[in-house]
Amino acid sequence: MSKSTGVASRPVSVSDVSTPRAELFARVLDPASRANPYPLYAALRSEPVSRQSDGTWVVSGFDEIAALLHDPRISSDMTNAGQSAGGQSLIMQDPPNHDRLRAAVMGRFTPEVVESLRQEVHNLIDGLLDAVGSGTSLDLVEEIAYPLPVSVICALLGIPPQDEARFHGWADTLARTLDLDPTMSREEQAAIDHAFTELHHYLENLVADRAEHRGDDLVSGLLTGGDRGEPLRGQELLITVRLLLIAGHETTVNLITNGMLTLLRHPDILERFRREPELVVPMVEELVRYEPSVQFRYRAALADIEIAGTTIPRGSVVVLLLAAGSRDPGHFTDPDSFVPDRIPNEHFGFGGGIHYCIGAPLARMEAQIVLPELVRRLINPRLTMDPPPYRPTAALRGPRHLWIEVDGIRP
Ligand code: HEM
């Protein structure tokens, strides 16, 4: 276990938020806010559509986010707001191209495929906990939450286990591309470009191999096409596979880690969960609302859009602050409380509208297996550092390490 990098961020409390509203989103991007951005979101929500001093429009109210997620005048292609193209995977595209690529993936990434991975997830969590052995401390991120989803996605895509380790570095670096952060250094940009190139070469070889030797993996399935989707080829296939890898990795790492962090901060709920394991289904949903892996997504305005008494001008960068909408007191009772059996729970943790997360069933399944197993096998788990150190990315938020002490691991 390595503990060297952790410097806990200072939590922000509501009374701290004296920043002018037009500067609030800059504070959200600041790594110092990572441990607790929610007071900043609450301050932003007092004007649910607010212009920031850099010209960005931040949308933080539940109703406004819901409206824009379904508004065809809002584009996911950021070149419409003067930003660089960034690979043009389906998550960054609009209809009709988006719909065609999405149908190709949905036609192959079916509920049966997700179900077929269930036993693999059980085996993986068992193996990872066994590997902790008789230790009395562990880093949940390094030892459990990080390796597990990589292995699941590799199983889904048919990537050989011996190549999995290489994906750690690439996925970690590429997560930074989710922030349009003007303070990103040249070195960081160079590291991102390098990771993209390496991953691209790797996937080129993988696709060429699958074209020769079809298997029952997703890459082979995308090459073949199916009832609902046409076959994917060339760059489109490469970019789609890369998206599945990036979109499905760090997000799930953060769901597992944020899940354990939240349970350890709520010992009464942890105890209740031990007694009532069937709580897991609504509880995972509540975790995705309460501590979402994806905090916000960028969009571009294709037209002048009137909303909440203001006008977002055409060509603007729009931030859909999903995590703020999921804690909007106008929509949720007691939104800042973690309520494990909250029903209904209509949150934005997996987005909404035409870009609703394709991997949500897989992510839910992983968390619903892993969290009960952690709670069952870890004896008397305690947090070593609270708040834990966070990764710098604001859009994709989660701890870099989560050090836990235990009295042992049950078989
Ligand atoms: C806890 C885990 C996850 C969370 C919180 C999450 C969250 C999200 C969100 C918020 C979006 C909407 C993006 C937007 O509107 O711009 C999204 C889209 C997407 N997610 Fe996930 N995701 C998770 C896991 C996964 C997994 C496991 C996969 C695949 C293996 C995946 C694949 C995708 C894809 C392909 C899209 C783009 C859909 C589209 O543009 O039509 N996600 N996800």
Side-chain angles (χ1 to χ4, degrees):
M1 184 179 82
S2 68
K3 258 191 209 177
S4 53
T5 52
V7 178
S9 313
R10 186 178 62 90
V12 186
S13 76
V14 183
S15 56
D16 267 351
V17 184
S18 52
T19 311
R21 192 178 287 114
E23 304 297 333
L24 281 170
F25 191 65
R27 277 195 69 191
V28 170
L29 293 179
D30 181 349
S33 306
R34 206 64 69 245
N36 184 10
Y38 299 107
L40 295 172
Y41 297 168
L44 276 160
R45 255 192 331 258
S46 64
E47 194 177 293
V49 179
S50 82
R51 187 181 183 283
Q52 300 296 290
S53 56
D54 66 355
T56 300
W57 289 78
V58 176
V59 184
S60 53
F62 184 95
D63 291 340
E64 292 77 11
I65 293 172
L68 293 187
L69 280 171
H70 292 92
D71 192 326
R73 296 170 300 170
I74 280 286
S75 168
S76 290
D77 176 352
M78 296 308 291
T79 57
N80 288 312
Q83 305 287 324
S84 63
Q88 293 303 323
S89 66
L90 70 100
I91 202 170
M92 303 290 280
Q93 291 200 44
D94 299 332
N97 230 11
H98 164 268
D99 300 1
R100 180 177 60 79
L101 293 168
R102 185 173 167 111
V105 178
M106 296 291 281
R108 285 288 168 175
F109 194 5
T110 58
E112 293 74 36
V113 169
V114 172
E115 203 44 43
S116 72
L117 293 165
R118 183 175 287 274
Q119 192 53 46
E120 176 81 14
V121 177
H122 274 290
N123 296 344
L124 283 166
I125 183 64
D126 282 352
L128 290 167
L129 279 167
D130 289 347
V132 177
S134 55
T136 53
S137 63
L138 69 150
D139 178 358
L140 191 94
V141 177
E142 295 273 323
E143 292 171 62
I144 310 285
Y146 217 85
L148 191 133
V150 188
S151 301
V152 175
I153 293 172
C154 289
L156 180 75
L157 297 176
I159 288 166
Q162 67 271 19
D163 292 345
E164 284 181 19
R166 306 175 69 189
F167 283 93
H168 272 226
W170 294 331
D172 206 14
T173 309
L174 296 179
R176 282 287 276 151
T177 58
L178 296 175
D179 280 346
L180 296 179
D181 182 356
T183 65
M184 193 183 288
S185 68
R186 252 197 216 154
E187 289 74 26
E188 278 179 298
Q189 193 53 57
I192 286 169
D193 293 345
H194 185 66
F196 260 123
T197 309
E198 287 206 324
L199 178 60
H200 193 85
H201 284 144
Y202 179 85
L203 292 177
E204 252 173 357
N205 288 332
L206 182 80
V207 168
D209 179 67
R210 285 313 129 76
E212 295 275 310
H213 315 98
R214 300 272 160 103
D216 56 5
D217 57 277
L218 189 63
V219 175
S220 300
L222 291 173
L223 271 163
T224 311
D227 293 348
R228 285 190 289 157
E230 61 181 83
L232 293 187
R233 296 265 185 272
Q235 289 301 305
E236 276 190 345
L237 176 59
L238 278 186
I239 290 170
T240 304
V241 171
R242 190 177 71 194
L243 169 67
L244 291 172
L245 179 71
I246 297 174
H249 179 206
E250 198 90 9
T251 45
T252 314
V253 176
N254 292 342
L255 172 57
I256 295 169
T257 312
N258 289 334
M260 263 324 265
L261 175 63
T262 304
L263 283 171
L264 292 170
R265 282 174 171 169
H266 295 83
D268 47 334
I269 296 175
L270 180 66
E271 264 322 299
R272 187 177 158 203
F273 182 37
R274 268 189 228 285
R275 290 192 313 271
E276 299 171 43
E278 65 279 7
L279 202 58
V280 74
V281 173
M283 194 188 77
V284 166
E285 221 48 45
E286 173 69 345
L287 283 169
V288 181
R289 180 196 74 83
Y290 179 76
E291 282 285 20
S293 308
V294 179
Q295 300 269 305
F296 55 85
R297 296 288 301 155
Y298 289 99
R299 295 289 197 267
L302 294 177
D304 289 355
I305 300 174
E306 274 182 47
I307 182 160
T310 185
T311 302
I312 302 177
R314 177 175 167 214
S316 302
V317 172
V318 179
V319 177
L320 299 182
L321 199 45
L322 304 172
S326 291
R327 287 193 181 213
D328 186 336
H331 192 81
F332 296 92
T333 310
D334 205 4
D336 292 322
S337 293
F338 175 56
V339 181
D341 50 2
R342 187 187 288 276
I343 294 173
N345 198 345
E346 191 195 340
H347 58 72
F348 295 127
F350 290 116
I354 62 167
H355 290 280
Y356 185 82
C357 177
I358 290 176
L362 177 60
R364 287 187 177 110
M365 188 262 272
E366 289 183 53
Q368 288 170 9
I369 292 172
V370 170
L371 291 173
E373 228 12 49
L374 288 171
V375 166
R376 188 183 71 76
R377 291 193 62 185
L378 300 180
I379 303 172
N380 190 20
R382 284 106 50 204
L383 288 172
T384 310
M385 185 191 275
D386 191 11
Y390 276 78
R391 292 177 194 281
T393 322
L396 199 53
R397 174 176 167 272
R400 180 179 287 286
H401 301 283
L402 192 70
W403 291 298
I404 291 178
E405 280 176 19
V406 292
D407 292 345
I409 314 265
R410 285 191 187 86

